[in-house]
């Protein structure tokens, strides 16, 4: 009987403790106007999503739009520049957006100062803006995939010549690849040493020579080999001391913007002839990448 009495007493204590605990945890007792407003904001932001976080070009759709799952009145935008987004509906025109970048997409409800954010990637490749020193064996500019610096291409690529039938119909003559640019047709790697030796900057390239051109490619991924492209800018200098500090700073700012990191501090920006308005533009528009080649 003692064992039974103990069990009944234990059960009674457990019930009382549970009831008291529930009363203490009653959310109504904790809610304040500020808490209620915060919960409402978080609920609204949690529902600010698109069907996916990665979207692919689709040649079969001339007007390929991805919209937020919940339609709300307000203002929409993105960072960095390059995402074609409707500022009033949040609809993203995928085929007209700069690919190979991850964007921070934001939404502010009408009549509110609170901003919700999410991240969207337009699938494709990119190259890092930086110095490639040929004297140190830094010969290859390798592409990375879907906005992640260390992410290799998930599928085989097909990098096209300008005389490809599909490319020829859309290529602006001003964006043709200079003769001599060496690009691996499967990996997209640019062999910078061969590009210089092939005469892409001329037989005797001068410091500061620039070539900007468009690379067309297809990926064997969810894009189903839709035609994609990236513009790149190659700079040539014979030695490190010839590279302007402003160009080095520009490459750093573009790299930080590409990976959505804080813009690096540039205390000597004015002495580098790199002004605040230039920093702001490059931090918001990281394309085309600036590939700086140094060496013989």
């Amino acid at each position: 009987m003692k064992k039974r009495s103990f069990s009944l007493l234990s059960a009674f204590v457990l019930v009382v403790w549970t009831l008291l605990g529930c009363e203490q945890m009653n959310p109504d007792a904790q809610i304040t106007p500020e808490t209620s407003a915060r919960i409402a904001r978080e609920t609204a932001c949690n529902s600010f999503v698109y069907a996916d976080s990665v979207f692919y070009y689709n040649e079969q759709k001339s007007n390929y739009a991805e919209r937020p799952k919940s339609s709300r009145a307000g203002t929409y935008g993105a960072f960095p520049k390059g995402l074609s987004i409707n500022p009033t509906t949040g609809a993203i025109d995928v085929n007209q957006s700069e690919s190979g970048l991850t964007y921070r997409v934001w939404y502010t409800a009408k009549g509110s100062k609170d901003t919700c954010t999410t991240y969207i990637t337009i699938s494709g490749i990119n190259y890092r803006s930086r110095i490639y020193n040929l004297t140190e064996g830094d010969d290859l500019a390798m592409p990375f995939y879907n906005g992640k610096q260390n992410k290799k291409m998930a599928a085989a690529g097909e990098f096209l010549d300008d005389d490809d039938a599909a490319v020829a119909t859309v290529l602006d003559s001003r964006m043709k690849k200079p003769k001599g640019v060496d690009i691996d047709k499967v990996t997209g790697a640019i062999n910078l040493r061969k590009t210089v030796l092939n005469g892409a900057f001329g037989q005797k390239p001068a410091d500061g020579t620039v070539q900007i051109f468009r690379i067309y490619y297809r990926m064997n991924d969810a894009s189903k080999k839709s035609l994609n492209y990236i513009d790149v800018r190659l700079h040539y200098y014979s030695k490190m001391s010839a590279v302007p500090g402003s160009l080095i700073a520009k490459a750093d700012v573009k790299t930080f913007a590409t990976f959505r990191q804080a813009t690096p501090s540039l205390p000597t920006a004015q002495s580098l002839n790199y002004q605040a308005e230039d920093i702001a533009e490059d931090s918001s528009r990281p394309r085309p990448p600036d590939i700086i080649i140094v060496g013989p």
Side-chain angles (χ1 to χ4, degrees), residues 32 57 258 287:
T32 64
Y57 276 18
T258 297
R287 302 283 282 271

Side-chain angles (χ1 to χ4, degrees), residues 77-80 83 85 102-106 116-120 260-261:
F79 177 88
L83 189 71
I85 183 170
T102 296
Y103 300 89
R104 184 178 72 244
V105 181
W106 54 266
C116 304
T117 60
T118 189
Y119 291 89
I120 295 296
R260 303 176 318 285
Q261 299 168 341

Side-chain angles (χ1 to χ4, degrees), residues 18-186:
T18 302
L19 290 173
L20 289 175
C22 289
E23 182 177 351
Q24 290 174 352
M25 293 303 292
N26 186 343
D28 292 336
Q30 305 296 326
I31 289 180
T32 64
E34 292 77 12
T35 302
S36 180
R38 176 179 58 78
I39 292 173
R41 288 196 301 271
E42 291 177 352
T43 300
C45 286
N46 288 339
S47 61
F48 174 48
V49 294
Y50 289 79
D52 206 338
S53 59
V54 181
F55 296 111
Y56 300 80
Y57 276 18
N58 190 322
E59 284 186 63
Q60 307 307 315
K61 299 180 182 180
S62 57
N63 296 313
Y64 172 26
E66 290 285 350
R67 297 175 174 80
K69 282 191 171 182
S70 299
S71 177
R72 295 187 180 88
T75 304
Y76 298 81
F79 177 88
K81 294 178 180 177
L83 189 71
S84 180
I85 183 170
N86 186 303
T88 58
T89 67
I92 296 171
D93 189 334
V94 176
N95 288 345
Q96 295 301 314
S97 296
E98 192 86 60
S99 62
L101 288 171
T102 296
Y103 300 89
R104 184 178 72 244
V105 181
W106 54 266
Y107 158 73
T108 303
K110 187 176 182 179
S112 173
K113 295 181 180 179
D114 298 318
T115 299
C116 304
T117 60
T118 189
Y119 291 89
I120 295 296
T121 299
I122 304 299
S123 183
I125 66 162
N126 201 352
Y127 296 87
R128 181 168 177 167
S129 294
R130 70 172 180 88
I131 291 175
Y132 293 79
N133 195 333
L134 302 185
T135 62
E136 297 177 355
D138 196 8
D139 297 357
L140 297 179
M142 296 292 299
F144 55 91
Y145 183 65
N146 283 7
K148 296 181 180 179
Q149 183 177 356
N150 297 318
K151 186 170 184 177
K152 296 180 180 180
M153 292 186 296
E158 181 185 353
F159 290 80
L160 309 172
D161 293 326
D162 288 351
D163 58 3
D164 177 272
V167 173
T169 61
V170 295
L171 179 62
D172 185 327
S173 61
R174 295 170 296 180
M175 297 300 290
K176 287 185 175 181
K177 287 193 292 291
K179 185 177 180 180
V181 173
D182 188 284
I183 301 176
D184 188 289
K185 292 186 177 182
V186 175

Side-chain angles (χ1 to χ4, degrees), residues 10 23-24 73 86 109 203 215 230 279:
S10 299
E23 182 177 351
Q24 290 174 352
N86 186 303
Q203 293 306 309
I215 300 172
I230 179 174
I279 296 174

